[in-house]
Amino acid sequence: MHHEPHPINKSSLYVVATPIGNLGDMTPRAIETLRQADLIAAEDTRVTGHLLKHYSIGTPMVSLREHNERGMADKLVARLQAGESIAQVSDAGTPAISDPGARVVAHARAAGLRVVPIPGASAVVTALSATGVEHGFSFVGFLPAKSAARAHTLSQWQQRHESLVFYEAPHRLHDTVAALAQAFPTRILTIARELTKLYENFETIALSEADAWLKTAPEPRGEYVLVLHEAATQNAETHPAWHNTLAVLLKELPLKQAVALTVTLTQAAKNEVYAHALTLKNQS
Ligand code: SAM
C-alpha cells in the first residue's frame, strides 16, 4: 500500500466518492483530488458547495444533473481533451451508482481519456457489509414508483436466488416492503436506515411477518437500503450435499465405484450412500 498524495494528472476524469452521511468518511485522497482538479462536475453545486466550504476548497464547479448529462458529457470531454483535469461527484456516495455520472465516464473512455476512480462510501456496500448475507448479490437500486411496474420488475427477480439490494425513498418504504412480501413471502429482509448517521439502524424481519411489522412500524424518515436475503437452499435438510455428488458420479461410473468415490469425496456414511445409490438406480 502507498499513500503519498498524488499530484493529479491533466486530461483525466476523477470519479470521486463522498460521504453518505458521516463527514468522517471523506477520504484524504478525495479531498486532495477535489482541491487539485481544475473543475468539479457536481450533481448539485449547492450540496457539494457545503462540502467544499468545509475543506476550504475553492475549485470551480459546474452542475451535472441527470437531465443535462447528455449535453454535458460532450462539453466535459472537450475540456478534458484541452488538458483540464475534472473531478466528478454526486450529492452523496459513489457517482454513477443510482446517480448521474456513468454517461460522462463512458464518453471519456470512448475518447481514450484516463478515468480514475477515487473510492469511498456507497450505501449498497455499506448496508451489505453489516447485514450478514453470504455469497453474491445483485444491486437493483430504485424500483419503479408505480405499483404495476414495480410488481412487474419484482416478478422478473423472483427466479433469482441471490441477495438483492434496493434503494428506497422514505415515502415509498412501506409500499415497497409490502410488494417485496408479496413477491418473496419466504425470504428475510434487512431494513438499513440512516447509514453512518446518528440514527443508524438495522432491522431484520421475515417477510411472512411483514403485515404485522407494517402495522407497528413508525413513520419512515431518512434514507433506506433494503437487503433481501438470499433464498434458503432448497431442501437443505432433506437433501444432504453428497446427493449431488453421487448423482453426477452415477451418470459416469458403475454403482460400486460411484459409491466408493462419493464416500471418499464427501465422508458420507457408506451404507447411506449405497442405499441412496440403489434408490436412484431403480428410479432411472
Ligand atoms: N450514489 C449513492 C451511493 O453510492 O450509495 C446513492 C444515491 S441514490 C440517489 C440515494 C439513495 O441511496 C437513497 O434513497 C437511499 O436509498 C440510499 N442511501 C444513500 N445514503 C444512505 C444512508 N446514509 N443510509 C441509507 N441509505 C442511503
Side-chain angles (χ1 to χ4, degrees), residues 47-266:
V47 172
T48 301
H50 291 305
L51 189 73
L52 298 191
K53 195 163 171 233
H54 183 85
Y55 292 105
S56 311
I57 296 171
T59 310
M61 284 189 279
V62 289
S63 143
L64 176 71
R65 307 198 82 114
E66 217 165 314
H67 67 265
N68 75 359
E69 197 179 347
R70 190 184 289 261
M72 274 306 279
D74 291 334
K75 290 192 187 125
L76 292 176
V77 165
R79 291 181 73 157
L80 287 164
Q81 282 168 328
E84 290 189 53
S85 58
I86 300 178
Q88 176 180 305
V89 295
S90 62
D91 288 356
T94 302
I97 307 300
S98 293
D99 261 344
R103 191 181 293 268
V104 177
V105 169
H107 277 229
R109 287 215 177 274
L113 293 159
R114 191 162 169 221
V115 181
V116 185
I118 306 292
S122 185
V124 43
V125 173
T126 305
L128 275 170
S129 72
T131 294
V133 289
E134 286 184 78
H135 309 118
F137 69 93
S138 286
F139 176 58
V140 182
F142 291 102
L143 286 165
K146 297 224 167 78
S147 65
R150 185 170 52 210
H152 178 70
T153 301
L154 288 177
S155 74
Q156 293 178 317
W157 287 101
Q158 269 170 331
Q159 282 70 272
R160 305 284 287 264
H161 289 178
E162 76 268 33
S163 300
L164 301 178
V165 185
F166 304 89
Y167 283 169
E168 197 46 284
H171 64 279
R172 280 202 271 272
L173 181 80
H174 283 183
D175 284 351
T176 296
V177 170
L180 288 172
Q182 281 262 304
F184 304 94
T186 61
R187 306 267 288 257
I188 305 288
L189 183 72
T190 293
I191 302 156
R193 168 173 180 252
E194 295 285 85
L195 293 161
T196 76
K197 303 188 209 176
L198 188 58
Y199 294 106
E200 179 179 271
N201 178 251
F202 283 78
E203 199 171 350
T204 297
I205 63 168
L207 281 174
S208 56
E209 316 269 298
D211 277 351
W213 182 83
L214 285 166
K215 281 196 189 108
T216 56
E219 179 82 1
R221 264 174 225 280
E223 299 193 278
Y224 291 86
V225 177
L226 300 173
V227 181
L228 182 76
H229 294 215
E230 64 188 325
T233 319
Q234 278 170 355
N235 301 322
E237 276 146 35
T238 47
H239 291 304
W242 59 261
H243 276 202
N244 257 342
T245 313
L246 177 65
V248 172
L249 292 176
L250 269 177
K251 288 203 182 102
E252 308 294 332
L253 300 167
L255 187 136
K256 261 181 96 169
Q257 260 176 288
V259 169
L261 259 178
T262 302
V263 170
T264 312
L265 288 171
T266 68

